[in-house]
Amino acid sequence: MTVNNPPNHLAFNLDDATRYLSERDEQLRRLIAEAAPFKIDADDAQSPYQVLLEAIAYQSISGKAAATIFGRIKALGENGRPPTPEKMLKIPTAKLRKAGLSGAKAAAMKDLAKKTIAGIVPTHDEALRLSDDELVKRLVAVRGIGAWTVEMFLIFRLGRPDVLPIHDLGVKKGWSVAYGKKHIPKPKELLKFGERWRPYRTVASWYMWRAFERAGYKVTNKIRHRKAHKRKKRSQGTRQR
């Protein structure tokens, strides 16, 4: 994550959040004291449509390659901005493919444009009035947009306080490092553990990312999923009398 801007648009009080978490979690208190202060990077000028358009471009490829491709997509718009939803629907798919998008990503961008025009994807002001659950429900209806992408939107664009990305590998491995675990937690395990962090799971998640970064890949690459225990087969032989 890029973390170089002050959190000036949060939907909660950061001091209250860090104090609350520090009082309830000793390991988290240590992380909060030792790691860099909570920060998020968001462009207040971006609409939900623009944020999600960029998210689609960045899926499953390196950041450098995605930046190049998204730069080409932006060039199809005006004034340094990506194409509007109306403009996106008029751009031939072949032209999007030529810019470097896969067929699936081109289809996802067009579906995003359609659902933005239809009002399913809200404006920024509308998004501010919707709950986290309502936003997830509406945005995952867009082709190519999953829960993780929406969670990143909730955290880094809207500054929501209580988002826990239970499928994010950085958060999961950061938790393993912070709490001295040798395994990657299953989503349900992390969700259950994270109840202690409510209503500030966003801040706790951010510090799990910091724990992951501080440990480095030499350490975190050794953290793996817990091996499933094989059930012992019952003997099929008949007992002699």
Side-chain angles (χ1 to χ4, degrees):
M1 295 296 165
T2 303
V3 287
N4 55 14
N5 284 343
N8 56 2
H9 66 283
L10 296 177
F12 61 97
N13 184 286
L14 182 57
D15 289 338
D16 289 346
T18 53
R19 187 182 307 111
Y20 178 93
L21 293 170
S22 295
E23 290 173 352
R24 285 159 178 78
D25 189 318
E26 182 179 348
Q27 294 300 107
L28 200 49
R29 178 172 70 245
R30 188 176 297 114
L31 263 175
I32 290 171
E34 295 175 355
F38 178 95
K39 292 180 182 180
I40 56 177
D41 180 15
D43 180 359
D44 286 338
Q46 285 185 304
S47 66
Y49 163 76
Q50 291 169 337
V51 172
L52 296 174
L53 196 71
E54 186 171 3
I56 290 170
Y58 273 74
Q59 288 173 350
S60 304
I61 59 175
S62 71
K64 185 177 181 180
T68 299
I69 293 171
F70 191 62
R72 295 172 188 155
I73 298 300
K74 288 176 69 174
L76 300 176
E78 297 177 353
N79 301 319
R81 292 283 182 183
T84 64
E86 292 78 11
K87 172 73 172 178
M88 176 58 71
L89 292 180
K90 294 178 181 179
I91 298 174
T93 297
K95 198 169 187 178
L96 295 176
R97 294 295 305 275
K98 189 176 180 179
L101 292 178
S102 65
K105 287 185 178 182
M109 285 189 177
K110 286 189 173 291
D111 190 51
L112 173 65
K114 289 178 183 178
K115 288 185 168 65
T116 299
I117 293 170
I120 295 172
V121 176
T123 65
H124 177 66
D125 288 342
E126 289 171 340
L128 292 176
R129 296 192 293 269
L130 295 172
S131 70
D132 293 356
D133 289 342
E134 288 172 324
L135 280 167
V136 170
K137 184 177 180 180
R138 287 174 65 165
L139 297 182
V140 297
V142 178
R143 178 173 179 166
I145 298 296
W148 181 87
T149 301
V150 181
E151 288 164 350
M152 297 305 103
F153 172 72
L154 291 170
I155 293 174
F156 293 98
R157 180 63 182 89
L158 299 183
R160 293 290 174 88
D162 198 34
V163 181
L164 176 57
I166 58 175
H167 297 284
D168 184 278
L169 189 60
V171 171
K172 292 195 290 185
K173 285 195 172 185
W175 176 87
S176 301
V177 171
Y179 297 94
K181 306 294 184 180
K182 295 181 180 180
H183 70 283
I184 298 173
K186 291 183 178 180
K188 288 183 179 180
E189 180 182 1
L190 185 57
L191 186 64
K192 182 178 180 181
F193 186 93
E195 284 300 311
R196 70 183 64 186
W197 299 331
R198 281 186 184 273
Y200 298 113
R201 292 181 296 173
T202 292
V203 178
S205 298
W206 194 87
Y207 280 103
M208 294 305 103
W209 277 314
R210 304 291 76 73
F212 174 81
E213 290 177 349
R214 281 155 51 98
Y217 289 111
K218 187 175 181 179
V219 172
T220 56
N221 282 345
K222 295 179 182 178
I223 304 171
R224 302 188 181 278
H225 292 284
R226 181 181 282 163
K227 292 182 179 179
H229 295 290
K230 293 182 179 180
R231 294 181 179 180
K232 292 182 179 180
K233 293 182 178 180
R234 294 180 179 179
S235 175
Q236 300 298 320
T238 57
R239 186 171 54 186
Q240 294 181 353
R241 295 186 180 181

